Amino acid sequence: MVQEIWPGSSYPLGAAYDGTGTNFAVFSEVADGVELCLFDEGGTETRHRLCSVDGFVWHGYLPGVGAGTRYGYRVHGPYEPAAGLRCNPAKLLLDPYARAIEGDIDWDESLFGYRFDDPESRNDLDSGRHMMKAVVVNPFFDWRNDRPPRIPYHQTVIYEAHVKGLTQLHPAVPEHLRGTYAGLGHPAMIEHLSRLGVTAVELMPVHQFVQDHHLIERGLRNYWGYNSIGFFAPHNGYAAWGQRGEQVQEFRAMVRELHAAGIEVILDVVYNHTAEGNHMGPTLSFRGLDNGAYYRLVDDEPRYYMDTTGTGNSLLMRNPHTLQMIMDSLRYWVTEMHVDGFRFDLAATLARQFHEVDKLSAFFDLIQQDPIVSQVKLIAEPWDIGDGGYQVGNFPPAWTEWNGKFRDTVRDFWRGEPATLADFTSRLTGSADLYQDDGRRPVASINFVTAHDGFTLSDLVSYNEKHNEANGEDNNDGESHNRSWNCGAEGPSDDPEILALRARQQRNMLVTLMLSQGVPMLLAGDEFGRTQGGNNNAYCQDNEISWLDWSAAESNAPLLAFTRRLIMLQRRHPVFRRRWFLRGAPVRDAGEALPDIAWLTLDGTEMADEHWDVDHARTVTMFLNGEAITEPGRRGERIVDDSFLVMFNAHHEPLRFTAPDAGFGKEWVTEVDTADPAPQREDVLEASGSTELPGRSVKVLRRRT
């Protein structure tokens, strides 16, 4: 091991390899001393005291230390848990800025700050042999001609997926690549995504995370990954090529291949808490470096942690070093890993400078002024479990949001809940009631019916109740109010009428999702009817319950074909993905006498006020005027599209729908019919003519010019 250490630099934080040596820099305001610990192949540890400190950043440069070197830190300082101070040099600590992490923790007693037999004691057992290690990474990579696709929001179709679950069972992906970044970048996966028509993959957490002790004890694993410990490091469990930093290059290669296919990469990021948990959790990194700087502690009892996430702790969003770390992480993933955006888990917690949610908090100020991060896609999960945590519609103008109200309303409408028609049409048109007042546009709404958290689309129409017994919590975990409907039988059925209704309901919700204004998000596998057997909280199911069963893509080929055709319809027609809110009035400056949107009754006349107030209303026809699009094209030209009628029948019985008079159009050709997903002949409806829609079905008609 190298013995000589030079002063080095306090910036950048982390381990920066320059080709001849590595600079190490780590923040701690409470430390009395910091030791850099290097580990050789046999696990032998060599310690170097960092004698240079500037602005509470401890630093040093080691010539000759290169990529692949494993390291960690030991911090000397006060240990007074009652005062919120938890330094202990017996605990090997991860670098918060580690670009790669090797191994996992084994939950040995030495990882904790107290002894198991006495929670009030101090534990000086050395944790070095039981800890994961940070790894120095080679920053150089051949990106070739990679360019960010920069797909505008109004042209975006998001596909929410899990790196491992997406490819673990894919027969065309080589076995040694399944469940990995390389597997996701494989041509077989890219072909599926391209043929499906999605423009972005939103990956569930890929930051290095920790396996929960209570899950390991039950023979389970943390599958979802919302338990981050390294905000700069790709999770090593998804790497095909080893764990000595190679996962970084593998991740980059995946991004490069997806970009070459015109597909963006969005990361689901968890900056609201860490895997260290509450005061009974292990000491892995932040807790031992500077507990009070990184975490929100209870004001009058700093031994304990404020928790608005349900995980035991929350990061302190008013500390400048914590904010710097998050911003540095975001910039790193954009500039060095070439990702195209972020979905922020429990984003309301990030807005809590103090106790209340504040959309003018320092975090949002930093995002707004950052010339790099502000230019990528920023998607909020706009809630947490704290007081006032449900913040749908309340994020700053540069942000988009997972629209939970879209999900709930669409589910309620199609399962037959009363008094949902007015809300349903609001969601169809981009949720102006949520986003218009602060200057945002329809694309502020990320529309979804299903996501990783909850039922799949197939399960949504097959189960009334959750079935989470496999999680080992007596079915007490997970949401109990799913707004689902099993169509007449709980779970698998061989009744042809029930199966036909379930298939139609899936198509109904896919049509609603894809043809609503806003940005559609499809859950991976919903395009071919993936099931989790009624498990609506599969966070711990790293197995066939959660992995995509690709044989269903063959057995349910009609649904896959229908979804592809539907996405292509949406992408071909800007009338379904407008950049501005609809006005419900004629566009006179375009010489158009018809309104940009109109709502019609069963007899083809425009809806009156009294029609909206009927609790049992289950039907509506939406007219979308393709000649009344007000926003200009890329070259400033006026956009003109086809016009459409979309007929919704959520009633359980068949009903006749009448087309409007010839002023709206003389002939209408059926483009989509959820009751007849693969029509054998062209279906034409004349002005003022009628067509029967079976119970619970949608028909989409294009005006023939």
Side-chain angles (χ1 to χ4, degrees):
M1 282 288 184
V2 176
Q3 299 299 314
E4 181 183 22
I5 185 166
W6 299 352
S9 172
S10 62
Y11 188 86
L13 288 158
Y17 172 61
D18 61 9
T20 60
T22 302
N23 188 82
F24 296 89
V26 64
F27 160 75
S28 177
E29 187 171 351
V30 300
D32 298 327
V34 176
E35 291 177 306
L36 169 67
C37 309
L38 304 184
F39 296 85
D40 64 15
E41 293 292 342
T44 301
E45 177 181 351
T46 302
R47 303 183 185 185
H48 300 270
R49 196 166 186 89
L50 299 179
C51 296
S52 299
V53 56
D54 295 291
F56 305 116
V57 175
W58 303 75
H59 54 90
Y61 181 90
L62 280 171
V65 169
T69 301
R70 299 181 302 161
Y71 73 99
Y73 293 108
R74 296 182 185 272
V75 172
H76 298 260
Y79 181 81
E80 302 175 32
L85 302 168
R86 296 179 180 269
C87 299
N88 185 342
K91 310 306 170 189
L92 182 70
L93 305 175
L94 276 177
D95 181 358
Y97 279 70
R99 267 46 172 186
I101 293 172
E102 179 179 303
D104 205 340
I105 63 173
D106 61 5
W107 292 99
D108 185 78
E109 184 176 5
S110 63
L111 296 166
F112 294 80
Y114 58 92
R115 295 194 303 272
F116 288 169
D117 60 355
D118 183 7
E120 298 300 319
S121 64
R122 170 176 169 138
N123 181 352
D124 287 323
L125 294 173
D126 192 292
S127 68
R129 292 190 176 275
H130 305 277
M131 262 297 291
M132 43 183 43
K133 311 295 190 298
V135 182
V136 178
V137 168
N138 186 343
F140 307 107
F141 179 73
D142 182 9
W143 282 104
R144 300 174 190 166
N145 296 318
D146 182 67
R147 295 290 186 273
R150 297 195 182 281
I151 298 169
Y153 267 122
H154 71 285
Q155 296 175 4
T156 296
V157 179
I158 298 174
Y159 188 77
E160 192 202 19
H162 186 283
V163 169
K164 182 175 183 179
L166 190 61
T167 63
Q168 186 68 22
L169 300 177
H170 199 298
V173 174
E175 191 169 351
H176 69 286
L177 299 183
R178 294 175 188 172
T180 69
Y181 305 120
L184 179 49
H186 188 270
M189 274 310 314
I190 290 178
E191 180 188 15
H192 175 76
L193 296 171
S194 298
R195 289 189 64 197
L196 185 59
V198 298
T199 68
V201 290
E202 181 177 304
L203 298 179
M204 292 176 66
V206 300
H207 288 170
Q208 185 69 46
F209 60 87
V210 170
Q211 293 298 329
D212 306 71
H213 190 212
H214 72 279
L215 293 178
I216 293 174
E217 287 182 318
R218 299 207 306 267
L220 301 170
R221 293 176 63 80
N222 186 323
Y223 174 69
W224 286 355
Y226 292 93
N227 204 27
S228 301
I229 196 62
F231 297 118
F232 295 77
H235 183 63
N236 56 38
Y238 301 150
W241 310 118
Q243 299 185 6
R244 295 300 295 273
E246 293 93 336
Q247 62 262 42
V248 176
Q249 308 296 44
E250 186 179 331
F251 183 94
R252 288 169 167 163
M254 174 198 74
V255 173
R256 185 181 63 197
E257 296 306 312
L258 287 165
H259 280 182
I263 298 171
E264 294 184 312
V265 178
I266 299 170
L267 301 187
D268 191 337
V269 290
V270 190
Y271 293 114
N272 51 71
H273 74 280
T274 80
E276 290 186 301
N278 63 17
H279 63 288
M280 301 298 287
T283 298
L284 307 177
S285 180
F286 311 92
R287 191 195 308 277
L289 283 164
D290 197 325
N291 188 52
Y294 283 113
Y295 293 118
R296 292 187 62 191
L297 307 178
V298 176
D299 291 338
D300 53 353
E301 288 188 279
R303 175 191 297 274
Y304 304 109
Y305 295 79
M306 290 289 293
D307 179 16
T308 58
T309 65
T311 60
N313 65 56
S314 304
L315 286 175
L316 183 61
M317 299 308 297
R318 64 177 181 267
N319 184 280
H321 296 281
T322 300
L323 289 167
Q324 179 189 359
M325 178 189 69
I326 294 173
M327 294 303 301
D328 286 348
S329 170
L330 292 169
R331 278 191 296 271
Y332 173 77
W333 287 98
V334 175
T335 60
E336 300 298 321
M337 306 297 266
H338 287 205
V339 306
D340 305 284
F342 305 95
R343 179 265 190 190
F344 293 81
D345 177 65
L346 300 181
T349 291
L350 302 176
R352 292 182 185 272
Q353 275 188 276
F354 298 97
H355 298 288
E356 69 285 348
V357 177
D358 180 6
K359 69 178 180 180
L360 301 178
S361 73
F363 174 72
F364 294 124
D365 290 344
L366 290 173
I367 292 284
Q368 178 70 27
Q369 62 80 42
D370 191 278
I372 294 172
V373 180
S374 65
Q375 298 307 302
V376 301
K377 288 182 168 68
L378 302 171
I379 304 170
E381 181 186 34
W383 49 76
D384 65 14
I385 67 169
D387 291 340
Y390 191 75
Q391 293 291 320
V392 173
N394 291 331
F395 275 70
W399 288 67
T400 63
E401 301 175 12
W402 269 26
N403 189 347
K405 293 186 177 181
F406 181 95
R407 172 199 60 203
D408 296 346
T409 300
V410 170
R411 290 185 178 192
D412 280 347
F413 179 76
W414 283 114
R415 72 189 180 109
E417 287 295 292
T420 55
L421 183 60
D423 282 344
F424 179 71
T425 56
S426 292
R427 305 304 151 230
L428 282 173
T429 53
S431 297
D433 56 322
L434 300 176
Y435 303 115
Q436 190 170 30
D437 287 349
D438 57 8
R440 285 193 281 178
R441 301 180 184 177
V443 294
S445 177
I446 305 297
N447 298 331
F448 67 105
V449 179
T450 56
H452 70 272
D453 188 1
F455 282 146
T456 66
L457 184 60
S458 176
D459 288 352
L460 186 67
V461 300
S462 304
Y463 295 92
N464 284 349
E465 308 296 334
K466 62 185 179 181
H467 296 270
N468 299 351
E469 291 81 5
N471 297 355
E473 301 178 39
D474 296 323
N475 206 32
N476 291 317
D477 62 303
E479 175 60 57
S480 295
H481 183 45
N482 294 285
R483 292 182 161 90
S484 62
W485 178 47
N486 64 18
C487 297
E490 187 74 356
S493 173
D494 57 6
D495 185 319
E497 291 188 5
I498 289 176
L499 294 176
L501 177 56
R502 288 176 177 177
R504 194 161 67 249
Q505 285 285 73
Q506 290 177 72
R507 295 191 291 267
N508 290 338
M509 283 186 268
L510 286 170
V511 168
T512 305
L513 172 67
M514 292 309 308
L515 302 189
S516 292
Q517 306 297 326
V519 181
M521 185 184 80
L522 182 70
L523 175 63
D526 278 355
E527 69 270 27
F528 50 75
R530 179 175 76 95
T531 178
Q532 292 181 166
N535 192 320
N536 74 350
N537 188 36
Y539 76 102
C540 57
Q541 298 299 330
D542 189 0
N543 51 47
E544 288 82 356
I545 290 176
S546 296
W547 303 339
L548 270 67
D549 177 5
W550 287 91
S551 67
E554 296 182 9
S555 61
N556 211 355
L559 179 59
L560 177 57
F562 178 85
T563 308
R564 286 172 176 162
R565 189 157 53 88
L566 188 58
I567 293 176
M568 288 301 106
L569 178 69
Q570 190 262 8
R571 292 188 62 180
R572 284 199 310 266
H573 291 286
V575 74
F576 295 121
R577 44 181 177 80
R578 294 174 53 118
R579 285 182 284 172
W580 300 91
F581 284 109
L582 294 150
R583 300 186 300 179
V587 182
R588 301 299 185 191
D589 54 356
E592 180 57 43
L594 290 172
D596 54 6
I597 187 171
W599 302 103
L600 309 175
T601 65
L602 284 174
D603 62 9
T605 60
E606 293 198 46
M607 297 269 285
D609 290 345
E610 60 267 19
H611 295 126
W612 297 104
D613 296 330
V614 180
D615 281 354
H616 60 270
R618 299 279 188 277
T619 63
V620 70
T621 296
M622 176 175 66
F623 166 73
L624 288 173
N625 188 350
E627 297 183 0
I629 300 175
T630 54
E631 60 261 24
R634 285 190 302 173
R635 298 178 178 85
E637 76 280 11
R638 179 173 171 246
I639 296 175
V640 178
D641 192 15
D642 292 317
S643 297
F644 288 84
L645 293 176
V646 186
M647 299 173 172
F648 297 92
N649 181 16
H651 191 58
H652 65 279
E653 294 180 338
L655 294 170
R656 296 201 70 83
F657 282 66
T658 300
D661 61 39
F664 283 84
K666 294 182 179 179
E667 289 186 330
W668 300 88
V669 180
T670 299
E671 288 281 343
V672 175
D673 186 349
T674 63
D676 185 14
Q680 300 301 309
R681 60 180 180 82
E682 185 176 75
D683 183 18
V684 179
L685 179 65
E686 295 184 354
S688 301
S690 66
T691 181
E692 183 174 273
L693 267 67
R696 298 189 174 93
S697 67
V698 184
K699 183 174 284 192
V700 181
L701 303 101
R702 176 178 50 83
R703 186 169 64 188
R704 178 178 281 176
T705 56

